[in-house]
Structures are given as C-alpha cells and as structure tokens.
Amino acid sequence: MLSYDRGVRKLLPVMSSLPLRVKIWFFIFTIILWMGAGESLAQSDPSDPPNPPSVIRLHKVHLTAEGSQRRIVFQFSQAPASVYAFSLSTPNRLVIDIIGPVPQRFSASYKTKDSLLRRIRVGAHPQHLRFVLDLKGEKIPAFTVEQQGSRVIAVLHSSERIASEARAQILFESPQEQMLAQSVPPPTSSASAPARSEQEAKTAAAKPHTAPKTRSSLPEKRVATASSQSTRSDTQPGLFHKLRERLDVTGFVKNETALRLYSPHQFSKVQNWFQVEIEFELTDWAELTAIGRTLFDPVNHLETDITDFDSSPVDRLEIGDSFQAELRELYLDLVYDDFDIRLGRQQIVWGESIGLRILDVINPQDFREFILNNFIDARIPLWSMRLDYTLNDWTFEAIWLPDFEASRAADEGSEFQFRNVPIPALPIQPPLPFPSIQARSVNEPEDWRLSDSEVGFRVTRFLRNMDLSFNYLYSWGDFPVPFRRVLGPNTFRFEPSHERFHLIGGSFNYAFDVFVIRGEGGVKLGQYFVSDDPNERDGVRQRELLSYVLGLDWTVSDNLLANFQFFQDVIFNKSGDLVDEAVNNAVSLSLLSDFWNETLFPELFVLYGINFGDLLIRPQVRYTFSDYLSATIGADLFIGSRSGFFGQYAASANPHDRYWTGRNSRFFLEVKRSFSL
Amino acid sequence: MKTICTMTIGLGLFVLSTIVPVYAQEVPGEPTGHEIAVFVDELEDGDDQISEANWTLTNSKGKTRRRHTIRYWKDYDGKDGLSSKSFIYFKSPPDVKDTTFLSWSQEDVEADDDQWIYLPALRKVRRIASGNKENSFMGSDIIYDDMADREVGEDTHTLLRVEQENGTKFYVLESIPKKEKYIYSKKLRWVNAENWTEPRIEFYDRKGRLLKIWTTEWEQIDGIWNWKRTVVENQLTGHKTELQISNVRFNQNIKESVFTERSLRKGKP
C-alpha cells in the first residue's frame, strides 16, 4: 500500500519515470495546446450574437495570382465609409481597415496556397474590420488598395523573384454568393469577374435580410493563428474572458451510504465521491477533456486490498486503505468535416442492452460493487484511439487499444467477492493425500506492443424506423484462463493467462408506434471454459460462445417507460465436463417513471436468472430538489439459489433454502450535489 | 338546350366542389381561417437555423430549474421523405449536460418521426419511440407534439373574430383537429395580421378545459421572424416554462453530418 509520503515522492520525478505511453500523450497534448492557444485568442465565440442587418458583412474574398502580382478582391454587403491601409514588418504584413458599422464580434483566418501571401486574417474592432495579410518573403511588396463601391481591391507587386504562376482562389464565399455562383454562368476570363461582382453586389443589396456566412460554417478549414503585434493590444483585455469561455468545469460531490439488510447490520459502504470534469475547447476542431475523481470510504468493505489495481502513477493514486484518486479519463477530440478522432484514456461503449453487457466489452470492468454501480463508473477506461467517419446515414468506427488492463474481481473477503469461481479439477492419485499445488503469476499482454494491442470496428446504419450495426472486436479476455499443468504425480501448477478472442456481432432496433424492439448479440470465438474432468490436459476447453439479448421498450404512458429483456448464452459443442451451463437464460424488467415535471423518478429493475431461479431486485426513488441537488433512496435485493449469478450474494448456505434474501442485500441512500464553474 | 347548359354548369360546379375545397368567409372582408393558417404555415423560417435557448421551469410553488440548450435545425422540404431534422444539445445543468436529442421529422404526417437520445450517463445512443407525442420535453410544459411540424390540413380552421390591440390587428383563429383522439380538443390562436406571427395560443385538453397558454414575443432576424421569448403556462398544474431564445443564426449551411449518430455520441454537433 502506498503511503502519502511515498505517493508524493513517487509523483515528483514523474516526468522522468513516466512510461513511454504517458510521455507520448503529454507530447501530443502539449502540441495541441500550443496550436490551440493562438487560435483560441484569435477566434470569437461560436455563439456570437447575430449581426444587426445594417452592418458591413464580408461576402467574398478572391485572390488572383499572376507572376509577381497578387490581386485580392474583398466583396462586402455594402460600401464601407472609407478604407485605410498600411504595412507592418517583423513579420511582414499588410493591414487594411474597413471603416464603417461592422459586426460586434467576428474573426476568421483564410489560408492561401500562394508563394507571396501566407494567409488573410480578419477581426472585428470598434467601427472597423481589420484585415491582416500575412506575407511571405523578406521584403514588403509595393501595394495599392482601392475602394470600388462595395468592393475593396488590394494589389501587391513583389520585386522579389518568385515562381511564375497564374491561378485564382476563392478564400471565402458567403451562402448567397455561392447560390449566385450556381445560378450565374461562371466567368470565362478574369476580365469578366468585375462585371459579375457588380451583379452580385446589386443582388446582395436587394436582399438586405439574408444572413451572412459566419465563422462557424466557413467552407475552408481554419488554421491556428498567432496574434500579431498590431492586434495583440486589442485581444489582451479579453484574454482571460476568452480562455474562460472555452473552459467548462463541472462535477459533483456525492455520498453513497448502504446498510446491510441482514446480520451483521453494518454499513457496507459509506462512499464519498468528488468528481471533476474539465473540458477545454482548444480550437474549433480540438477539445481536451479530463475527468478525475476521488473516493473516500471509511468503512472500507468494498475493498480489502487496493494495490491490485493495475495502473501507472498518473492513472491512480492510493493513500491509505480508504482513499483513492483516479484519473478516469483524459482524451483529446479532433473534429473534422466528416470524421472525428478521440485519443486518450477513455471509455468506448457498444450495444443496446440495459443491465448486462453483451457487446459492451471493450473496456474491462471493476466488480468491486458487483454490477450494482453505474457502468460509467464501473468501466475501467483504457488508453486508446477511436475514429468515427460518417458517410450519409452510415457511421464507420475503428478503435485501437494499445493499453491493457484486466477486469477487476472484487477482493478476497470484500463485500462482493465472487463466490462461484470455477476451478479446474485436479487429477489426484492415491496414496498421496496432499497434492502439491503451485501458482504462477498471471500472464498478461504487454502494454504498447503492437502485436498485443486490441482492435475493432463497427459499422452503423440509420434507416427509417430502424438502426443496424455490425461489430467486430479482436481482444483479450478480461479474466485470466486458469490453465492447470500437471508437473508430476500429485504436483500441479496453475498458470493463469489472458487469452485472445474474436467477437463478431451486431445490434439492431426497430421503432413503431410506442414500441422499440432491440437486440444485440455476438459470437466469441476462442473462449475458454473450465472443465471438471481431472483428465483434461489443461483443465480448460476452448469453445464458441453465443450471447445475445432481445428487448422491448414500451412507452406505456407519458410518464412510464417499460423495458423487457431476454438474455441467453449458448456454448456450442458443450461437453459434459464443462462447469458452465450449456444454455444460460435470464430475463429483466425495467420500469422508469417520472412525476412532477421530471423531479420525482420512481424506478424498478429486476434481473432473474432462469437456470438457478435467482433474482436481483432494485427499486429506487430519486428526487431532484434543484438542478444541482438530488437524493436517491432504494434497495438492492439478492434472492435465490447461491449457485446463481445473483444468488451468490443471497443469505442462506442451504441450497434448499432458496428464497431468503440477505447477506449482501442492502438499503442505500445517495445524496448528490453537482456544480459548475 | 338551356337545360343541358344548366346541367353542364351544375355538374361542373359539383365536380369543382369535390376537388377544390371551398372555405366560407367567416368574417366579411377578411381572409378565411384556412387561408390565415396557410399564411402562418408559410411563414419564412430559413433553410436552416442555429439558436440557443435558456429554459426556466417554474413549479406552482415558485421553485425554478434551468436548462441551456443549443438547437440545430435544417429544412429538408420533402427530400428523402423528410420535413426537417433537428439536433438539440444540452449545455447545462451538469446533470443533463451533454444529453443530445436528434429528430428526423417525416413529411408524411401519419408517419412517426425518427428520434434518438444520447444519454451521457450510459454513453449510449438510444432510439426512442415517437408514437407517444404527449411526453414532456425534458420536464417542460412543451410536449413532443408541440415541437413537431403540424400540417394545416390536420385541423379545421375558423376565423372567430378580429381584434385590435395597440393599433395592431390580430385574427383570432380556432383550430380543431380532424382526428378525434388528438391530444388537444382545440387551439385558439392569435395571429398578427401584418406578419402572420402568433403571439398567443391557447390549448384546450380533451375534456375541453383550458390546458395551457403559450405566449410568444417575436423578433425579426435577417428578415425572418423568430421567437425571442416564449412562456408556456399550464393552467391545471400551475407549472410554467419560459424560453429565452438567443444567438439565432439563419442559413448557415449546416452540414448533414450534424444530424447523425456521430454527433449524438460526441454529445455536440
């Protein structure tokens, strides 16, 4: 166990001792932060208020290059009162101020593909729009800036020797300009361009109420911009404000207290949470999210040994027996037109079912509270990459997980210790009464080794009334397979090892009237099952496992939603020596209701294991006192045979005494206070 | 010959009357209720729209809750059988933050809309049944049916009277649903005769009781009339919902990809 002192000392030289994967993430985030900082300062808030109709709006920016001359035409919605231009050096820039009524907040940057002009930036200032032309080359070229009605034309003449080129680029075009471009035949030569612009200007003037194209939907990809000397003085007063606007901090403190129903009547948990989620919008296309939490549980019945969590120093810190701090998630979202990338420690969730996981097996699970805590809290996030690509109604998702962590069974002696863990039979031979049993440490895949990484993809299609998905995952088993080796007469060794499997599956839903039928399923190829045949060589056998769920959502009334589900596991070619049932069935019922304009939420969730007749019943009522304060009271009741998945936590050891609840059944109360900064 | 002519004209009128709906003039010198409903329906709403809304929900005891949403809406005008697509993203409070709601409204009024919700607590996108349109939208006094496009032909519209207030002329329109089991038995709508906006609507429940009053302040942005502030008061429960609309932007060329599963899972467009 890590003491506070040792924990701090371990963290101080953290940069030098961090694993390679963490260094890589730090590097990526630092680069993005650096890139984003400039753009954060230069760009306005996406939620800018609309411009009043009388302001000067930018309709088009057109660049024509011919030899050493550049002609930039700015088309506006109306004629500016005046135009003022000057140059700046170090770095070389040409500044053009458009004087007149302008939008209160507007900024953008247009990248060019030109040997003389790097890009054009624009920002709104009181009573003028300022265009900054960032120039390439060592000398500032000669320039002229001329106003022609609602157009402003800048011409640059470079004395430097530059490659001869003749090309035209539209750097920005508002929607009405685009519509005109489609309806008006394109100019056949550069000479016809002015005439066309005149017509556009007239049409634009005749449509004074059409909205301008704003930053948020510019066709060009915007690039990071750094504030130049001429504009920095204008942006500095708003620096903190702009940073603050891009930062979103939310979180909650929560107390979860549970009391055992049956003797010994003890608190099974008094868990105090503090969780913070920070989102920082680096640029319009990059956002960083970090989620951290601390847990403090003085009764400490959920864990008896907290050092068994496999994680590096930045993931989790444990102080004493009762306190832990964990970096739950830290990821970077990169958003492009039709695809997104999410890089970092994250949860990746597939599937349709409620309560049990079929396709939702990408992240391992922490079973310290069995399946009673929310999956979002129980999943163990992994360092990974997720790429989403959209094409019409299709979504393609590819995932790569170079990080490995095993699922975490509840600790030996803790509240929800697994009680029905199958172990391979031992071929004990008389006359030796006591076999010699050895155990090797668990064989795990290596983090960040390409051949050991996990991959998967998913294809989703939204159809009329129906969604379909196809899923594939090449992964590692979250629990080790207990291989048993026979070393000699009555001498055995267990060699637990995580093994690969392929998961091929899919999901669907179909909505009609007040119903939604749902289903998901998958076949695991290469799953291992424990054998009770002492002569089985490794004590385990490999079989294919089909798992699926069929469900129905029924909107009974405007404040009652019912959900029914049927789960089934089928082991193909199951031989009699395997401990698991050939077919395992379970059903669930969920009732969700709300009253008083969604302030009171009574709920009931029941899971019934058909094979062993065991039950998990979870009634609860949540009341929201305000947007930030809520309380939940409820119970988790385990009933039935102790051989069952749920019944293992029921009271009686007598298999005939099946319907007594207890042992781990509990009442609970949760009080949650959210906050946002 | 005269008889034949009379019969021909009569038959022609009969045929015409069967194919062209004839609406009696309810108030002399004013358009009919149906015509007014058509004018209201044809009110320009742009090709697409982005807006923000601050929701204030107040119960009968005066206790308030607040929500902040961003809405993306795009007119499909029958393309792919769709009337429109909308995407609503919850920015606050923390407990509902990142919840997103996607709806594809069908052009066919009889067809159910496609609707999905992303619940950040589950990290899952779930298709939801849209058959029950009486569900409250996020605990407000606005139900899903109120947010859906309603065709003029689904109701019978009658101009009851003309009112003047502060020099502005208002048509008071009664709209009674043709379908018997509709949520509301009727609506009374006050229509501004100058710009066809509706500053007040009264909703009556199936029992004919006044259920809720919906009042709206309008503003013109880029030539398009839009809500500025809306208050919906439930007359039976005393609960009230106020929406303050801001940052309205029209015709932004919103991309199709905003209205997809990818955006839902991202929790934002």
Side-chain angles (χ1 to χ4, degrees):
Chain A
M1 220 157 289
L2 188 64
S3 70
Y4 177 77
D5 241 353
R6 284 172 58 198
V8 171
R9 265 186 276 132
K10 196 170 179 180
L11 284 176
L12 279 178
V14 72
M15 278 312 292
S16 56
S17 63
L18 284 178
L20 176 63
R21 60 177 178 175
V22 180
K23 286 178 180 169
I24 291 171
W25 290 115
F26 268 123
F27 176 74
I28 292 170
F29 291 141
T30 307
I31 292 292
I32 295 295
L33 275 167
W34 177 76
M35 289 168 66
E39 191 171 359
S40 298
L41 303 182
Q43 290 183 346
S44 66
D45 184 25
S47 57
D48 280 352
N51 303 323
S54 60
V55 299
I56 299 173
R57 296 176 189 139
L58 180 62
H59 278 187
K60 190 173 181 180
V61 181
H62 185 257
L63 166 67
T64 310
E66 191 164 356
S68 58
Q69 179 177 299
R70 300 292 179 273
R71 188 169 186 269
I72 305 117
V73 180
F74 301 90
Q75 178 68 55
F76 297 99
S77 59
Q78 61 192 67
S82 61
V83 177
Y84 178 64
F86 59 95
S87 62
L88 293 169
S89 57
T90 332
N92 292 338
R93 286 154 288 160
L94 173 62
V95 180
I96 304 171
D97 285 345
I98 306 298
I99 315 296
V102 297
Q104 287 183 346
R105 303 172 72 188
F106 176 66
S107 66
S109 175
Y110 314 123
K111 195 175 181 181
T112 67
K113 293 174 182 172
D114 185 66
S115 54
L116 187 58
L117 187 61
R118 189 185 309 278
R119 65 187 163 190
I120 300 175
R121 293 176 284 127
V122 58
H125 297 253
Q127 293 303 311
H128 71 273
L129 274 178
R130 169 162 289 179
F131 289 83
V132 180
L133 284 60
D134 288 322
L135 306 168
K136 295 177 181 175
E138 294 179 4
K139 295 179 183 174
I140 296 174
F143 64 88
T144 59
V145 177
E146 183 186 357
Q147 181 185 351
Q148 293 181 356
S150 59
R151 289 194 304 161
V152 173
I153 301 165
V155 180
L156 310 179
H157 301 273
S158 175
S159 59
E160 292 180 24
R161 187 186 179 88
I162 55 177
S164 175
E165 52 187 312
R167 56 187 301 182
Q169 301 171 48
I170 296 174
L171 304 179
F172 169 71
E173 193 170 28
S174 64
Q176 51 267 52
E177 293 288 329
Q178 289 171 1
M179 283 190 293
L180 279 167
Q182 288 165 6
S183 59
V184 176
T188 52
S189 69
S190 58
S192 63
R196 180 177 161 234
S197 297
E198 287 295 329
Q199 184 181 352
E200 289 167 356
K202 284 176 188 170
T203 312
K207 293 172 133 187
H209 300 305
T210 48
K213 188 84 175 176
T214 62
R215 288 180 45 256
S216 59
S217 54
L218 293 177
E220 297 81 13
K221 182 184 154 193
R222 286 176 298 282
V223 296
T225 61
S227 300
S228 67
Q229 285 183 344
S230 59
T231 57
R232 186 168 294 155
S233 60
D234 297 317
T235 56
Q236 269 180 345
L239 173 62
F240 177 77
H241 181 67
K242 285 186 175 179
L243 285 174
R244 183 65 193 82
E245 277 185 338
R246 287 173 177 269
L247 185 69
D248 194 5
V249 182
T250 56
F252 61 83
V253 288
K254 184 168 68 167
N255 173 269
E256 298 174 344
T257 299
L259 180 70
R260 266 189 228 116
L261 253 72
Y262 289 86
S263 181
H265 297 288
Q266 292 177 324
F267 288 114
S268 55
K269 68 170 177 178
V270 182
Q271 194 160 249
N272 298 286
W273 294 60
F274 175 65
Q275 179 158 316
V276 178
E277 179 173 345
I278 300 169
E279 291 176 356
F280 186 60
E281 191 181 344
L282 301 167
T283 73
D284 277 358
W285 48 272
E287 183 173 277
L288 186 65
T289 301
I291 302 172
R293 79 175 180 202
T294 63
L295 292 178
F296 174 65
D297 185 352
V299 301
N300 204 33
H301 286 307
L302 295 179
E303 297 188 25
T304 54
D305 177 8
I306 58 174
T307 57
D308 55 353
F309 205 94
D310 171 30
S311 58
S312 57
V314 294
D315 295 348
R316 189 174 164 107
L317 173 68
E318 299 157 349
I319 300 172
D321 291 339
S322 306
F323 181 85
Q324 56 183 257
E326 186 179 0
L327 175 67
R328 290 286 294 164
E329 298 183 61
L330 175 64
Y331 53 80
L332 176 72
D333 281 315
L334 302 175
V335 181
Y336 293 90
D337 281 350
D338 291 321
F339 71 95
D340 307 332
I341 301 174
R342 178 169 287 185
L343 293 162
R345 187 172 161 87
Q346 59 180 302
Q347 299 184 29
I348 301 173
V349 184
W350 286 353
E352 294 268 342
S353 65
I354 300 172
L356 293 175
R357 309 198 313 168
I358 305 289
L359 292 175
D360 180 13
V361 291
I362 300 165
N363 289 90
Q365 187 172 346
D366 186 347
F367 287 93
R368 66 202 290 271
E369 274 191 86
F370 185 47
I371 57 169
L372 301 181
N373 51 348
N374 297 326
F375 282 150
I376 195 170
D377 300 319
R379 283 188 210 100
I380 300 170
L382 295 177
W383 296 93
S384 51
M385 180 181 80
R386 193 184 87 196
L387 189 149
D388 279 357
Y389 173 71
T390 299
L391 182 66
N392 299 323
D393 298 333
W394 296 82
T395 302
F396 301 88
E397 176 185 335
I399 58 173
W400 176 56
L401 301 97
D403 185 23
F404 174 83
E405 284 195 36
S407 278
R408 184 180 183 224
D411 294 333
E412 185 86 20
S414 70
E415 188 76 8
F416 293 103
Q417 171 193 347
F418 285 156
R419 300 179 201 282
N420 298 332
V421 179
I423 299 172
L426 301 176
I428 299 173
Q429 297 171 358
L432 293 174
F434 300 109
S436 165
I437 301 175
Q438 305 165 18
R440 197 183 259 181
S441 60
V442 178
N443 180 30
E444 287 191 350
E446 193 164 321
D447 285 345
W448 296 90
R449 190 164 66 188
L450 193 62
S451 59
D452 278 359
S453 56
E454 298 170 300
V455 292
F457 67 85
R458 185 178 74 135
V459 181
T460 311
R461 177 84 199 271
F462 276 14
L463 293 164
R464 177 85 190 91
N465 294 332
M466 178 187 279
D467 305 329
L468 296 171
S469 86
F470 172 77
N471 306 57
Y472 169 76
L473 181 66
Y474 182 48
S475 182
W476 291 97
D478 287 334
F479 286 107
V481 179
F483 290 105
R484 182 214 57 210
R485 312 293 185 203
V486 179
L487 302 180
N490 289 344
T491 305
F492 311 104
R493 185 171 68 206
F494 282 103
E495 298 178 358
S497 174
H498 291 273
E499 295 298 317
R500 285 280 200 186
F501 69 85
H502 297 269
L503 173 67
I504 302 168
S507 66
F508 77 94
N509 61 51
Y510 177 72
F512 60 101
D513 196 19
V514 293
F515 302 100
V516 181
I517 298 174
R518 303 179 189 281
E520 75 176 84
V523 177
K524 265 188 187 176
L525 308 175
Q527 177 83 359
Y528 283 89
F529 295 92
V530 170
S531 167
D532 60 7
D533 180 0
N535 298 316
E536 173 60 38
R537 196 171 67 88
D538 293 325
V540 294
R541 285 180 193 270
Q542 214 171 7
R543 290 287 182 273
E544 274 66 64
L545 172 69
L546 167 69
S547 301
Y548 69 90
V549 56
L550 291 173
L552 175 74
D553 285 357
W554 175 24
T555 309
V556 183
S557 69
D558 56 351
N559 56 3
L560 178 61
L561 174 69
N563 170 269
F564 308 93
Q565 294 181 117
F566 172 73
F567 298 86
Q568 187 170 68
D569 289 339
V570 180
I571 302 172
F572 292 117
N573 301 319
K574 196 251 179 191
S575 49
D577 59 312
L578 298 189
V579 175
D580 288 283
E581 300 271 314
V583 178
N584 205 359
N585 301 315
V587 291
S588 76
L589 165 70
S590 169
L591 299 174
L592 306 171
S593 58
D594 65 85
F595 297 94
W596 305 339
N597 286 86
E598 295 187 14
T599 52
L600 183 72
F601 300 88
E603 294 179 14
L604 174 68
F605 183 59
V606 180
L607 266 167
Y608 176 63
I610 294 174
N611 289 42
F612 294 97
D614 53 332
L615 278 164
L616 168 61
I617 304 176
R618 310 190 69 191
Q620 69 170 48
V621 177
R622 178 164 58 94
Y623 181 71
T624 55
F625 296 93
S626 72
D627 288 333
Y628 294 90
L629 181 64
S630 65
T632 307
I633 187 165
D636 299 315
L637 308 173
F638 297 98
I639 302 172
S641 166
R642 293 184 65 186
S643 302
F645 186 57
F646 316 114
Q648 63 179 312
Y649 300 113
S652 177
N654 183 351
H656 300 293
D657 193 10
R658 293 170 55 155
Y659 297 105
W660 287 95
T661 68
R663 190 153 72 185
N664 301 101
S665 295
R666 63 187 191 179
F667 286 128
F668 66 84
L669 170 69
E670 290 178 12
V671 180
K672 183 179 177 184
R673 176 70 166 85
S674 306
F675 63 86
S676 58
L677 303 176
Chain B
M1 186 66 184
K2 188 180 174 185
T3 311
I4 293 171
C5 280
T6 308
M7 283 177 65
T8 308
I9 293 166
L11 187 62
L13 285 174
F14 171 76
V15 171
L16 271 176
S17 68
T18 58
I19 58 172
V20 180
V22 176
Y23 298 97
Q25 204 169 45
E26 294 101 353
V27 176
E30 300 292 352
T32 64
H34 183 85
E35 288 168 342
I36 294 168
V38 169
F39 288 136
V40 172
D41 187 56
E42 290 176 349
L43 202 61
E44 174 62 34
D45 51 7
D47 295 332
D48 59 47
Q49 186 192 125
I50 303 171
S51 61
E52 294 188 30
N54 283 302
W55 301 63
T56 306
L57 315 180
T58 310
N59 71 9
S60 57
K61 294 174 183 170
K63 200 165 77 173
T64 60
R65 291 177 294 152
R66 296 178 201 285
R67 274 111 182 76
H68 184 193
T69 59
I70 299 178
R71 176 174 178 261
Y72 287 68
W73 173 88
K74 191 177 181 77
D75 192 357
Y76 274 68
D77 206 19
K79 183 187 163 195
D80 300 331
L82 295 172
S83 158
S84 63
K85 290 184 181 179
S86 60
F87 178 94
I88 298 175
Y89 161 55
F90 281 77
K91 284 195 80 175
S92 70
D95 270 8
V96 295
K97 181 176 173 290
D98 294 338
T99 300
T100 48
F101 174 77
L102 174 64
S103 178
W104 293 3
S105 295
Q106 300 297 319
E107 187 79 350
D108 177 4
V109 294
E110 295 296 323
D112 291 329
D113 296 339
D114 291 282
Q115 294 178 342
W116 300 263
I117 193 164
Y118 172 77
L119 299 167
L122 298 178
R123 298 271 174 107
K124 281 185 179 178
V125 171
R126 287 184 74 77
R127 180 184 276 270
I128 53 178
S130 61
N132 190 335
K133 294 184 165 58
E134 294 184 49
N135 287 359
S136 157
F137 184 72
M138 296 301 285
S140 73
D141 296 285
I142 297 172
I143 61 174
Y144 283 89
D145 187 78
D146 298 334
M147 304 199 311
D149 293 330
R150 188 161 177 82
E151 298 296 314
V152 174
E154 292 185 82
D155 300 303
T156 302
H157 309 277
T158 309
L159 175 60
L160 297 182
R161 59 186 181 271
V162 178
E163 293 182 356
Q164 291 278 345
E165 189 176 326
N166 299 327
T168 306
K169 187 162 95 175
F170 293 97
Y171 296 122
V172 182
L173 203 65
E174 182 186 63
S175 298
I176 297 176
K178 292 176 179 171
K179 201 189 281 184
E180 279 185 11
K181 290 186 178 177
Y182 184 56
I183 307 157
Y184 306 116
S185 60
K186 71 171 179 182
K187 294 177 195 169
L188 288 188
R189 305 157 66 185
W190 276 254
V191 179
N192 188 319
E194 292 173 7
N195 54 31
W196 309 110
T197 59
E198 294 178 281
R200 179 185 174 93
I201 305 175
E202 293 179 356
F203 294 77
Y204 292 81
D205 68 8
R206 291 191 182 101
K207 294 177 182 174
R209 297 174 297 182
L210 176 59
L211 177 63
K212 58 189 181 189
I213 299 174
W214 187 315
T215 52
T216 305
E217 291 173 27
W218 294 75
E219 66 177 342
Q220 199 172 28
I221 297 170
D222 294 325
I224 298 172
W225 285 100
N226 198 66
W227 295 357
K228 183 181 180 187
R229 179 175 173 269
T230 280
V231 179
V232 185
E233 292 180 88
N234 189 312
Q235 302 298 302
L236 302 181
T237 64
H239 196 273
K240 187 172 81 172
T241 299
E242 180 184 340
L243 271 91
Q244 199 80 37
I245 311 295
S246 61
N247 290 345
V248 182
R249 285 163 284 172
F250 289 102
N251 302 330
Q252 300 292 297
N253 271 356
I254 300 175
K255 289 175 183 151
E256 301 271 343
S257 59
V258 168
F259 306 99
T260 60
E261 190 215 10
R262 190 167 64 96
S263 289
L264 272 170
R265 290 211 298 159
K266 244 186 327 181
K268 59 191 68 173

